Amino acid sequence: MLKYFYQCVDCGQIIESPHVVYLCDKCSQKNNSALPPRGVLKTLYHYNQIKPNFDYLLQTNFIDLLPIKDYNNMPPLRVGKTPLYKFSSIDNEDLNFELYFKDDSANPTFSFKDRASALVSAFAKENKIDTIIAASTGNAGSSLAGICASQRQKAIIYVPAAAPKAKLTQIVMYGAKIITIDGTYDRAYDLSIEATQKHNYYNRNTAFNPLTIEGKKTVSYEIFNDLRTNIDRVFVPTGDGVIISGVFKGFEDLLKLGIIEKMPTIIAVQAEGSKNLSANMYNEEFKIFPSQTIADSISVDIPRNFYMTKKFITQYEGEHITVTDTEILDASKILSRNTGIFTEPAAAAAFAGFIKYKEAKKLEENSKNVVLLTGSGLKDLNAVQKLINLPEPIK
Ligand SMILES: *Cc1c(COP(=O)(O)O)cnc(C)c1O
């Protein structure tokens, strides 16, 4: 018996297969590229057969909770296991609650995306697949390219030509095949699906491949491991809704195993200029608000994991908040000068969301608040040029 199976987030159908599986065959039939996809799959386990002991799970790299056979098939690079930093003041204000930054820019390719790429790559290795394809706004592509390089796998990346130069540079340096699109991420996505169907490549597209959600959940195990107590809030920068679903899923696994007692309040932070998930939460019909924001990594017209995210937020009373580009830039500066952590705009958005939230609602004394920092500032220097005023060089 396989230790894992998939369940369609829409119809609830169970799918058991050791082979490559993407969307639910029934629910995905009527999908069209102008709407969020139906039929995204959640990966589940036979929880009653898993030892509900966190230290045991930690020592075994959570292999009982991953859809791969052997942890040794993960990339040789150190993916995840990123630092959680505590800061007790911002500028001159002492905080009477606890504030933590989970710094996922410390991943090998400098973004959170490595967690998903690593699991997809390990699955490919176990199934003797040597080529992986993905569409990306930049980070998923640079991540897959780097992870594949470390595993001697081939990567094919579809990415908008307008993606930040550092991300395009990474893809090329890691030796992947790059296809730049004169158009949006959503267009790159469609083209990558066409190529997948035509050439039968293994596809890492976010949410389309259920392992992307599963790879990302490990961040929650790590946050729990560092704090070993109930966590009150986690602020997550959100575009397609895969990272936030991963965060929910990780804590949900721990809930099901009885290791934690309550789900933290998980807050989706979106850019005001790309709020397609928050703005459609309560709409009967999905309506696109065209995206325009400096936070390219969360600039998404059609959130690929809309329905799962909506379900998680509803079920566990998650929240959502939007921040303007000005608030993102301010937050980026405040974060850098207070912590020494310089992040890309999408990650700074999570901190901007935290600042806004803290001003609107009083955070309880001693509450534990975690901000997820998902990517390095060096990936997008252009975005902060407005803030940079170098002095004239001295002679
Ligand atoms: C991809 C990404 C996000 C958003 O993740 P989604 O799964 O699209 O919601 C946030 N920050 C960074 C740096 C990213 O690369």
Side-chain angles (χ1 to χ4, degrees), residues 211-387:
L211 269 56
T212 52
I213 304 159
E214 217 43 23
K216 289 176 172 183
K217 74 178 183 182
T218 53
V219 72
S220 303
Y221 300 165
E222 293 172 19
I223 294 171
F224 174 74
N225 182 37
D226 284 327
L227 299 178
R228 294 280 178 148
T229 178
N230 275 331
I231 292 138
D232 294 283
R233 291 179 196 85
V234 187
F235 293 82
V236 186
T238 302
D240 278 314
V242 173
I243 294 184
I244 192 168
S245 293
V247 173
F248 271 114
K249 177 61 174 26
F251 286 116
E252 186 179 66
D253 283 349
L254 299 181
L255 268 177
K256 285 183 175 165
L257 291 168
I259 290 168
I260 60 170
E261 278 143 39
K262 79 168 181 73
M263 178 66 79
T265 301
I266 298 180
I267 299 127
V269 185
Q270 291 213 285
E272 183 57 38
S274 183
K275 55 179 178 187
N276 285 298
L277 206 140
S278 339
N280 281 294
M281 272 293 287
Y282 314 106
N283 286 359
E284 277 294 309
E285 263 173 52
F286 189 90
K287 187 171 149 241
I288 296 175
F289 300 81
S291 298
Q292 178 66 49
T293 168
I294 52 160
D296 64 294
S297 298
I298 50 172
S299 182
V300 170
D301 281 353
I302 304 163
R304 303 290 158 173
N305 205 24
F306 177 71
Y307 293 105
M308 187 188 288
T309 305
K310 181 175 167 173
K311 208 165 171 174
F312 270 131
I313 289 182
T314 311
Q315 181 178 356
Y316 293 111
E317 295 172 31
E319 299 184 32
H320 49 89
I321 185 171
T322 61
V323 289
T324 64
D325 280 7
T326 309
E327 288 168 327
I328 292 173
L329 280 178
D330 285 347
S332 182
K333 209 164 149 184
I334 296 169
L335 180 70
S336 301
R337 71 165 178 248
N338 277 278
T339 66
I341 308 170
F342 171 38
T343 69
E344 65 167 274
F351 184 52
F354 164 81
I355 293 173
K356 205 166 183 173
Y357 192 99
K358 164 175 92 69
E359 279 160 11
K361 309 189 186 190
K362 205 167 147 36
L363 302 183
E364 316 78 5
E365 213 171 315
N366 302 324
S367 63
K368 295 185 168 48
N369 302 277
V370 180
V371 178
L372 208 57
L373 301 177
T374 44
S376 163
L378 296 179
K379 277 176 165 281
D380 189 3
L381 290 175
N382 243 349
V384 289
Q385 283 318 299
K386 268 198 271 185
L387 304 176

Side-chain angles (χ1 to χ4, degrees), residues 89-117:
S89 64
I90 302 175
D91 288 340
N92 293 323
E93 183 196 352
D94 286 330
L95 309 176
N96 68 345
F97 50 82
E98 295 181 21
L99 173 61
Y100 298 89
F101 294 103
K102 180 69 171 164
D103 184 14
D104 255 61
S105 68
N107 273 301
T109 76
F110 317 105
S111 89
F112 192 100
K113 298 289 193 290
D114 287 343
R115 293 180 186 270
S117 301

Side-chain angles (χ1 to χ4, degrees), residues 52-210:
N53 176 311
F54 192 79
D55 288 305
Y56 161 79
L57 293 167
L58 180 69
Q59 276 157 25
T60 51
N61 290 307
F62 304 101
I63 191 69
D64 291 349
L65 289 161
L66 293 174
I68 52 168
K69 295 188 195 93
D70 186 348
Y71 198 80
N72 290 319
N73 291 318
M74 291 289 265
L77 303 173
R78 193 222 54 199
V79 175
K81 307 186 173 81
T82 55
L84 184 77
Y85 299 116
K86 182 177 180 182
F87 285 90
S88 38
S89 64
I90 302 175
D91 288 340
N92 293 323
E93 183 196 352
D94 286 330
L95 309 176
N96 68 345
F97 50 82
E98 295 181 21
L99 173 61
Y100 298 89
F101 294 103
K102 180 69 171 164
D103 184 14
D104 255 61
S105 68
N107 273 301
T109 76
F110 317 105
S111 89
F112 192 100
K113 298 289 193 290
D114 287 343
R115 293 180 186 270
S117 301
L119 186 64
V120 168
S121 166
F123 183 89
K125 198 169 167 185
E126 291 188 349
N127 288 277
K128 313 251 177 315
I129 296 167
D130 66 358
T131 304
I132 312 178
I133 184 170
S136 169
T137 63
N139 280 341
S142 50
S143 167
L144 183 64
I147 295 295
C148 280
S150 81
Q151 297 257 67
R152 302 288 187 274
Q153 293 165 326
K154 289 186 214 103
I156 305 173
I157 312 297
Y158 284 73
V159 60
K165 194 146 187 197
K167 300 181 185 181
L168 297 172
T169 304
Q170 281 183 288
I171 297 170
V172 175
M173 289 305 291
Y174 293 137
K177 180 166 171 58
I178 185 169
I179 293 129
T180 53
I181 311 290
D182 181 14
T184 63
Y185 161 60
D186 297 279
R187 191 73 194 109
Y189 192 98
D190 295 341
L191 289 169
S192 77
I193 299 286
E194 278 171 36
T196 302
Q197 285 158 352
K198 194 160 161 207
H199 302 286
N200 201 25
Y201 295 133
Y202 184 38
N203 187 303
R204 179 224 178 272
N205 282 10
T206 200
F208 180 70
N209 186 327

